[in-house]
Amino acid sequence: MLDIMQVAGVGAAALVTEMAKSTWDSVRAGVRRVLRRDGERGSAQVLQLVDAARQQLIDSPEYEREAVEERLRGELMIQLAAFLQRHPDAAAELQTLAEQTQGADNSAAARTNVHHNSNSQVVISGGSINASGGFHYRTPEAGQ
């Protein structure tokens, strides 16, 4: 049997991590599926809280982002723990959703090395720009 607080913590961390990413809509759909156990009205109320939390994160200035993320993880963990106490059968589904979101980040990572390019453009698609690494350009040496 899964520990409700542990699953709630993992779920909350995954949600907060995904909130600012372009993949949020698919994660939100997964959360909605899990929350259906509370009925249409109950799941709508919890989704409103999740959406409000996401908006707080998006609207927060960069210098406050870490503190906002930490606060939201705590708030969502409490909400998810309360939900899981009412619906312990949802713990495995929430755990799977959290693992899938974490796995998507790891599988989307790629390394790209580009050498001896000048006056060129590099385009990377598929995944977060944060996960794609950095680009280092050197200006060509004079006479080359």
Side-chain angles (χ1 to χ4, degrees):
M1 182 167 171
L2 296 171
D3 180 315
I4 288 176
M5 291 306 289
Q6 181 180 3
V7 173
V10 169
L15 286 178
V16 172
T17 299
E18 293 298 314
M19 284 179 174
K21 295 183 180 179
S22 62
T23 56
W24 171 247
D25 288 336
S26 65
V27 172
R28 186 183 185 277
V31 171
R32 174 193 245 158
R33 279 191 306 277
V34 172
L35 295 176
R36 281 191 188 150
R37 289 169 175 84
D38 257 354
E40 197 62 37
R41 185 174 177 192
S43 64
Q45 289 174 340
V46 176
L47 273 176
Q48 284 178 337
L49 293 172
V50 170
D51 288 338
R54 179 178 185 258
Q55 196 60 51
Q56 288 175 22
L57 180 64
I58 290 171
D59 292 344
S60 67
E62 187 66 35
Y63 66 90
E64 291 180 1
R65 185 77 38 100
E66 193 173 320
V68 171
E69 287 176 352
E70 186 67 30
R71 182 177 50 77
L72 292 176
R73 274 191 295 272
E75 290 173 6
L76 288 172
M77 186 174 90
I78 291 168
Q79 291 293 324
L80 290 172
F83 170 80
L84 291 173
Q85 286 178 340
R86 291 188 309 277
H87 305 284
D89 61 310
E93 190 175 354
L94 181 61
Q95 179 74 32
T96 300
L97 178 63
E99 289 169 358
Q100 288 172 345
T101 61
Q102 292 167 347
D105 264 354
N106 294 336
S107 65
R111 289 202 187 276
T112 303
N113 294 308
V114 181
H115 300 281
H116 307 296
N117 284 352
S118 60
N119 300 321
S120 63
Q121 181 178 14
V122 177
V123 178
I124 293 180
S125 177
S128 166
I129 191 70
N130 294 331
S132 64
F135 294 98
H136 302 281
Y137 288 96
R138 282 189 238 176
T139 56
E141 299 292 326
Q144 288 186 344

